Amino acid sequence: MGAIRSIGVVGGGAWGTALALTAARAGREVRLWARDPGTVSDIRSRRQNPRYLPGITFDEELEATSSLEVVADADAILLVTPAQTTRAMLAALKQTGKVRGPVVLCAKGIEQSSGKLLSKVMSEELPGVEPGVLSGPSFADDVAKGLPTAVTVAANSAKTALSLCEAMQSPCFRPYASIDILGAQIGGALKNVLAIACGAVVGRKLGASAQAALTARGFAELSRLGTAMGAQGETLTGLSGLGDLVLTCSSSQSRNFSFGLRLGEGFMASELISAGGKLAEGAYSARVAVKLARKYDVEVPICETVARMIDEDLTIDDALNTLMARPLKSETAGL
């Protein structure tokens, strides 16, 4: 593929706006689509997105629009809408007839209704268009402010991955190319589930030792399932796997960690869900991750416990008892 000069960003939330700013800093022509007319107006007139990135004013040149056709007609597209809306957004992009690819999937999750990774969803909705994945330890607020950030950008071909990295690189944003599109997605999806568990531990005030242990054992689950599904070990220990897990399992900036935090404080998942608002992606992915683990005959006790906390309103104390009462086993093979 040729040089990427224009980038369309689909999604006017915090992460979409942050990535649009990143592409603009890299010298690309950027068109940002937002569903909310107020967001489009604020970006055009005030150079702000106060609903999603309060307190941040930007100088970067980017075009905000409510026309999906305008955004689809770009050299590359970043799809930055929630994982559970990915199929609908891909179908809408297809209807424009303007997508020439690649389309980079920037949400971290698994489609709940089908149990499919988002790249599989894309192959069904936009056949013939090359998929990419952007994942790694990154908070929208940090990226929007121009703080140093490194991520993984994966595609099926090295040429496409490198082209996307070149199009996004700036002094404050460092993308690393990968051809392991599967591994980049698995790390991003499972870390959300595990972050809920870590948030619950912190909310229950169980201590830093418990949080560290849960993060380490969570990474073991992520690695086992990722390896069984065909991910590369280097990806799982890299930015989109271990790197993203460490960040998300340790900060209340993470929506998934914050969701878990409230569970640890005594709220039931059903209460948080019925209260409305956007649900953390890990809450959607937990049960799907458990089903995938069973398919590949992999043990994921932490993911299973999170799924029960969400689906069955299992309390944090009962969840902890469930995990601590598991039969003793070796941490390493051969013992």
Side-chain angles (χ1 to χ4, degrees):
M1 63 180 297
I4 297 173
R5 295 182 175 84
S6 60
I7 291 181
V9 180
V10 178
W15 190 219
T17 304
L19 287 177
L21 293 173
T22 297
R25 289 168 188 150
R28 302 312 120 197
E29 175 192 333
V30 182
R31 308 159 194 166
L32 171 65
W33 176 87
R35 187 186 305 276
D36 176 30
T39 298
V40 173
S41 176
D42 284 333
I43 292 174
R44 285 177 174 176
S45 62
R46 301 170 58 187
R47 316 306 296 169
Q48 294 180 344
N49 189 345
R51 180 178 178 184
Y52 296 103
L53 289 171
I56 296 177
T57 301
F58 40 86
D59 298 324
E60 290 79 7
E61 289 295 326
L62 59 93
E63 177 186 353
T65 178
S66 297
S67 169
L68 202 57
E69 289 193 1
V70 170
V71 173
D73 189 22
D75 295 332
I77 297 172
L78 306 183
L79 183 55
V80 202
T81 51
Q84 305 311 317
T85 67
T86 294
R87 187 179 293 275
M89 292 308 306
L90 289 169
L93 283 169
K94 182 179 181 179
Q95 288 179 357
T96 68
K98 294 181 178 294
V99 179
R100 52 184 185 269
V103 173
V104 182
L105 302 163
C106 301
K108 300 170 182 176
I110 306 170
E111 188 176 56
Q112 187 180 42
S113 60
S114 67
K116 295 174 181 177
L117 295 176
L118 301 187
S119 60
K120 177 61 176 177
V121 174
M122 180 171 159
S123 71
E124 295 172 354
E125 297 297 330
L126 271 179
V129 177
E130 189 170 7
V133 171
L134 189 153
S135 190
S138 48
F139 285 141
D141 195 67
D142 292 347
V143 173
K145 290 177 179 176
L147 299 178
T149 305
V151 299
T152 297
V153 175
N156 288 327
S157 73
K159 185 176 181 180
T160 298
L162 288 168
S163 293
L164 288 167
C165 286
E166 290 172 358
M168 296 290 291
Q169 183 177 6
S170 72
C172 55
F173 193 81
R174 171 83 175 180
Y176 285 81
S178 169
I179 56 170
D180 185 10
I181 195 170
L182 174 68
Q185 291 176 91
I186 293 171
L190 262 65
K191 64 91 184 177
N192 284 334
V193 180
L194 299 167
I196 292 176
C198 284
V201 163
V202 173
R204 189 65 179 85
K205 301 187 186 305
L206 297 178
S209 299
Q211 183 182 2
L214 197 61
T215 302
R217 295 311 302 163
F219 179 64
E221 293 188 16
L222 187 157
S223 297
R224 285 196 298 268
L225 182 54
T227 299
M229 293 178 66
Q232 298 176 8
E234 292 174 331
T235 306
L236 300 176
T237 58
L239 291 166
S240 62
L242 180 60
D244 209 358
L245 178 71
V246 170
L247 178 70
T248 314
C249 287
S250 61
S251 175
S252 58
Q253 287 189 67
S254 161
R255 182 179 295 163
N256 294 280
F257 184 93
S258 295
F259 183 85
L261 197 69
R262 302 202 74 190
L263 294 177
E265 291 170 347
F267 290 90
M268 294 290 100
S270 57
E271 293 179 80
L272 301 178
I273 293 169
S274 64
K278 292 184 178 179
L279 191 59
E281 287 286 6
Y284 291 112
S285 299
R287 179 57 59 191
V288 182
V290 172
K291 290 180 180 178
L292 282 173
R294 289 173 181 166
K295 176 181 177 181
Y296 288 93
D297 195 24
V298 172
E299 287 191 347
V300 289
I302 298 174
C303 290
E304 288 179 354
T305 303
V306 171
R308 289 189 60 197
M309 292 177 73
I310 295 165
D311 296 341
E312 304 170 20
D313 270 347
L314 188 72
T315 67
I316 179 62
D317 291 332
D318 287 340
L320 180 64
N321 290 335
T322 298
L323 289 172
M324 295 299 283
R326 295 183 72 242
L328 292 175
K329 59 184 298 184
S330 170
E331 187 177 32
T332 58
L335 181 63

